Amino acid sequence: MNITGAFYALAAFAVFSTHDVVIKFLGGSYSPFQIIFFSTLFSFPLVMFMLIRDRTEGHLRPVHPWWTLFRTIAAMVNTASAFYAFSVLPLAQVYALIFATPLLITILSIPVLGERVGFHRWAAVIVGLIGVIVVLRPGATEFTLGHMAALSCAGFGAFASVVVRKVGREERTAVLMLYPLIANFVVMGLAMTFFYRPFPLMDLGSVGMVSLLGFTGGVILILAYRASEAAIVAPMQYSQIIWATIFGYFIFGETVDMPTIVGAGIIILSGLYIVFRESRGGHSANTPVLRTRSRASSAASFRISPFVRRGKLRG
């Protein structure tokens, strides 16, 4: 069963990487606001299909309105940051910085979840943040808006993930899914009016592909968590650095420099160590990283899916 879950996870993150390639391709010609607006628009039928299967009785008023609001804002910023970062930075560099999300989840779990973080996990966080500095190499390269966006994606994604962990058992799936989706549609639609460019038919189809790939990756990831333990599935996210190297080189002519390789390696090892500590039990009351079934919170691409709370994953 663990092998099956790992296989599903690898497939899911391969799909997500393809999703990001399409975003990067579109980002060279269109603003992130426009891409997010239309990908969100195309996501509504897919979300409705998922929600039709939700037999939970209730209404759409959030049980925790403030936490729902904070998560919605964080999800919007996370999505916009990710789309912009993929548009302007090499794929491998964006992934290396986004891989810092588990480190930030560990930190944010202290004030939000009341988690107690011991020496070993603090050490892993510090080492991982050193890896981020290696990737950014301040003083040697210019710190651009793209780097800031990638870090913002990691930070707001971590916050949204921790909030899901805090209120996910009490909030309906419909609330967790629809509020960020509607907010993205409204806010990005307003922002898009200042940057709108007409889509040729092929590019419009590519935007639809973003929604479809995000949906497909999310469904496969759910299957992965149903088949295996989180400790097996979560580390599979780091396989995206391989896809980033392949896609970046053959499609965009990107090469991965040594600081990015070294920094990404440090970040990945620290993230794996945190997963290992949480999976051992007794070191974490909430296991916030393991119980966050995604690499980033993206309302447009289903990367956090409360549906995985159902069935054998509940509890």
Side-chain angles (χ1 to χ4, degrees):
M1 292 294 286
N2 282 343
I3 296 177
T4 301
F7 174 79
Y8 278 135
L10 288 172
F13 287 115
V15 171
F16 282 137
S17 296
T18 308
H19 164 280
D20 297 333
V21 167
V22 181
I23 291 174
K24 185 173 182 63
F25 169 77
L26 291 169
S29 303
Y30 306 97
S31 76
F33 306 115
Q34 183 172 341
I35 301 171
I36 294 171
F37 174 80
F38 281 99
S39 63
T40 301
L41 178 64
F42 292 146
S43 294
F44 274 110
L46 302 174
V47 174
M48 291 301 104
F49 172 76
M50 295 290 286
L51 294 182
I52 286 173
R53 302 181 61 188
D54 182 8
R55 300 178 181 178
T56 306
E57 296 183 1
H59 48 69
L60 295 179
R61 294 191 303 273
V63 178
H64 301 278
W66 285 109
W67 283 119
T68 300
L69 174 62
F70 294 152
R71 178 186 177 268
T72 298
I73 294 173
M76 281 196 301
V77 177
N78 166 263
T79 302
S81 299
F83 277 50
Y84 180 76
F86 281 119
S87 299
V88 299
L89 291 180
L91 287 169
Q93 198 167 100
V94 177
Y95 282 132
L97 296 175
I98 290 179
F99 286 163
T101 300
L103 312 177
L104 301 177
I105 289 175
T106 302
I107 296 173
L108 290 172
S109 68
I110 300 173
V112 177
L113 301 177
E115 178 82 0
R116 292 184 178 181
V117 177
F119 171 78
H120 291 88
R121 279 195 292 162
W122 267 122
V125 168
I126 293 172
V127 171
L129 295 179
I130 292 174
V132 172
I133 295 174
V134 172
V135 173
L136 295 175
R137 48 195 183 279
T141 59
E142 180 184 1
F143 183 77
T144 67
L145 188 59
H147 295 102
M148 185 179 298
L151 292 174
S152 174
C153 175
F156 283 96
F159 179 76
S161 299
V162 173
V163 172
V164 169
R165 174 60 186 144
K166 183 176 182 66
V167 304
R169 293 179 181 273
E170 300 175 32
E171 293 289 359
R172 289 189 64 203
T173 294
V175 171
L176 293 172
M177 290 289 286
L178 286 179
Y179 275 66
L181 199 68
I182 294 172
N184 260 325
F185 181 77
V186 174
V187 174
M188 299 303 167
L190 293 173
M192 178 194 66
T193 58
F194 297 99
F195 303 96
Y196 176 75
R197 289 185 57 193
F199 279 125
L201 186 59
M202 181 174 293
D203 289 352
L204 188 61
S206 297
V207 177
M209 186 63 66
V210 169
S211 298
L212 182 60
L213 287 170
F215 177 82
T216 302
V219 170
I220 298 174
L221 195 58
I222 292 171
L223 295 176
Y225 277 105
R226 285 177 177 171
S228 296
E229 299 175 357
I232 299 297
V233 177
M236 297 301 107
Q237 171 189 345
Y238 297 123
S239 65
Q240 288 186 295
I241 199 70
I242 300 174
W243 291 113
T245 304
I246 296 172
F247 287 145
Y249 181 79
F250 287 103
I251 299 178
F252 302 105
E254 300 171 350
T255 57
V256 185
D257 55 25
M258 187 55 64
T260 299
I261 294 174
V262 174
I266 295 173
I267 296 169
I268 290 172
L269 288 175
S270 62
L272 289 174
Y273 186 75
I274 289 174
V275 169
F276 169 74
R277 293 292 296 183
E278 288 191 2
S279 66
R280 288 182 60 186
H283 302 284
S284 174
N286 298 290
T287 57
V289 173
L290 283 179
R291 291 181 182 271
T292 301
R293 275 85 171 175
S294 72
R295 62 161 174 150
S297 169
S298 177
S301 64
F302 303 92
R303 297 194 186 190
I304 278 188
S305 179
F307 293 103
V308 299
R309 294 186 293 111
R310 308 210 174 276
K312 62 190 289 187
L313 292 177
R314 198 174 185 87

